[in-house]
Amino acid sequence: MKLIMAVIQDKDSALLSDELVEANIRATKLSSSGGFLRSGNTTFMIGVEDDRVEEVLNIIKVNCESREQYTTSPVSLDVSLDSSIPYPMQVHVGGATVFVLPVESFHRF
Amino acid sequence: MKLIMAVIQDKDSALLSDELVEANIRATKLSSSGGFLRSGNTTFMIGVEDDRVEEVLNIIKVNCESREQYTTSPVSLDVSLDSSIPYPMQVHVGGATVFVLPVESFHRF
Amino acid sequence: MKLIMAVIQDKDSALLSDELVEANIRATKLSSSGGFLRSGNTTFMIGVEDDRVEEVLNIIKVNCESREQYTTSPVSLDVSLDSSIPYPMQVHVGGATVFVLPVESFHRF
Ligand code: NI
Ligand code: NI
Ligand code: NI
């Protein structure tokens, strides 16, 4: 048994939840903030058998991996003329910081 | 020293807190949601000496164990005649998912 | 790699965050309550290399250690005459409860 603590961005939380449910892996979400990732994160606490750790890590990687997105700047605060034309802006989204912890014993009551 | 992470239902949280205080065992509650148990759960983080782990597990079991309750359905959404008579409905309540983690060192400042 | 779980008082949270950032150590804050310390606490989850554990413990100690403060009682509920004179009152503030957990593996995606 291992306890996986995964800090991910809020925006990836719903998708990760769904994929873990699909894989029949149970997780608890802890409210968290700041630090490992930019503001707005969630910590997943996932208990799994040793032989499924790699599978869970892969589910986290596929759904939460840090990636770049192009976004169109929605508003321009610059008064110069040319800035009024929206242009694509590259932003980093996602990312996961994951700790796999040893478990001494596991109980369900 | 061990760190016990126990996910329990919100409705059992106050009772478990009281019983841990009575036993002179200190715990911190983390806001949590979803997953291991039906919606509305709390994660207790409990630090204890090795020789008290069994005692804490027992306190969790006694106060949070999954059990069945009979409830009277409060409203009937069915338009058929006989459904207007309230009848007892069996529901599962409680339950605990508990991880006992090894601790390398413990400090109080 | 170690995972440090530190329960501290809310009032020390901003300072600890700043000092960890200054030391280039990343942390995630979990919403927590009750138990190890008087009401209003925060749990810092801090991942560090083994050789920086002492440094992190020292940062926590310096910024969150339990200490006594003298405060002037703002209101007097006692109707006796002499109690209307504000007098300094000693209160305990701060404090940290810290668990250092072994980590089996660490991943960033
Ligand atoms: Ni899918
Ligand atoms: Ni009792
Ligand atoms: Ni400083």
Side-chain angles (χ1 to χ4, degrees):
Chain A
M1 197 77 183
K2 295 287 176 284
L3 186 62
I4 298 175
M5 301 290 276
V7 185
I8 66 156
Q9 277 204 320
D10 283 345
K11 65 183 301 174
D12 294 332
S13 176
L15 186 58
L16 180 58
S17 284
D18 286 352
E19 293 300 314
L20 291 172
V21 167
E22 245 181 65
N24 202 27
I25 287 159
R26 289 192 285 192
T28 290
K29 276 179 267 187
L30 302 174
S31 308
S32 61
S33 65
F36 289 123
L37 300 167
R38 289 157 296 284
S39 69
N41 62 53
T42 300
T43 297
F44 276 69
M45 191 165 75
I46 307 162
V48 277
E49 292 304 321
D50 293 27
D51 60 6
R52 297 196 72 187
V53 169
E54 282 308 313
E55 180 188 350
V56 173
L57 290 175
N58 195 51
I59 292 172
I60 297 169
K61 185 177 192 298
V62 166
N63 292 286
C64 309
E65 196 166 19
S66 180
R67 65 263 184 200
E68 295 185 348
Q69 275 182 351
Y70 282 91
T71 176
T72 303
S73 57
V75 287
S76 172
L77 297 170
D78 192 318
V79 292
S80 74
L81 227 104
D82 61 332
S83 71
S84 62
I85 303 153
Y87 56 94
M89 209 168 62
Q90 200 178 33
V91 291
H92 292 261
V93 296
T97 299
V98 187
F99 301 93
V100 180
L101 306 178
V103 171
E104 197 151 295
S105 66
F106 170 69
H107 309 267
R108 299 203 70 201
F109 299 126
Chain B
M1 196 77 182
K2 295 288 176 285
L3 185 62
I4 298 175
M5 300 291 276
V7 185
I8 66 156
Q9 275 203 322
D10 283 345
K11 66 182 300 174
D12 294 331
S13 176
L15 187 57
L16 180 58
S17 283
D18 286 351
E19 293 300 314
L20 290 172
V21 167
E22 247 182 62
N24 202 27
I25 288 160
R26 288 193 285 193
T28 290
K29 274 180 267 187
L30 302 174
S31 308
S32 61
S33 65
F36 287 123
L37 300 168
R38 287 156 298 281
S39 67
N41 62 53
T42 300
T43 297
F44 276 68
M45 192 166 74
I46 307 162
V48 277
E49 293 303 322
D50 293 27
D51 60 6
R52 297 195 74 186
V53 169
E54 283 306 313
E55 180 189 350
V56 173
L57 290 175
N58 195 51
I59 291 173
I60 297 169
K61 186 178 192 298
V62 166
N63 291 287
C64 309
E65 196 166 20
S66 181
R67 65 266 184 198
E68 296 185 347
Q69 275 181 352
Y70 282 91
T71 177
T72 301
S73 58
V75 286
S76 173
L77 297 172
D78 192 318
V79 292
S80 72
L81 226 104
D82 61 332
S83 71
S84 61
I85 303 154
Y87 56 94
M89 210 168 61
Q90 201 179 32
V91 291
H92 293 261
V93 296
T97 299
V98 186
F99 301 92
V100 180
L101 306 178
V103 171
E104 197 151 294
S105 68
F106 171 70
H107 309 266
R108 298 202 71 201
F109 300 125
Chain C
M1 196 77 184
K2 295 288 177 284
L3 185 62
I4 298 175
M5 300 291 277
V7 185
I8 66 157
Q9 276 204 320
D10 284 344
K11 66 183 302 175
D12 294 332
S13 176
L15 187 57
L16 180 59
S17 283
D18 286 352
E19 293 300 315
L20 290 172
V21 167
E22 248 182 59
N24 202 27
I25 288 160
R26 289 193 285 194
T28 290
K29 276 180 267 188
L30 302 174
S31 307
S32 61
S33 65
F36 288 122
L37 300 168
R38 288 157 297 283
S39 69
N41 62 53
T42 300
T43 297
F44 276 69
M45 192 166 75
I46 308 163
V48 277
E49 292 304 321
D50 293 27
D51 59 6
R52 297 195 74 186
V53 169
E54 282 308 313
E55 180 188 351
V56 173
L57 290 175
N58 195 52
I59 292 173
I60 297 169
K61 186 178 191 299
V62 166
N63 292 288
C64 308
E65 196 166 19
S66 180
R67 66 263 183 200
E68 296 185 348
Q69 275 182 352
Y70 282 92
T71 175
T72 303
S73 57
V75 287
S76 172
L77 297 172
D78 191 320
V79 293
S80 74
L81 227 103
D82 61 334
S83 71
S84 61
I85 303 153
Y87 56 94
M89 210 169 61
Q90 200 179 33
V91 291
H92 292 260
V93 296
T97 299
V98 187
F99 301 92
V100 180
L101 306 179
V103 170
E104 199 152 294
S105 67
F106 170 70
H107 309 266
R108 299 201 71 201
F109 299 126

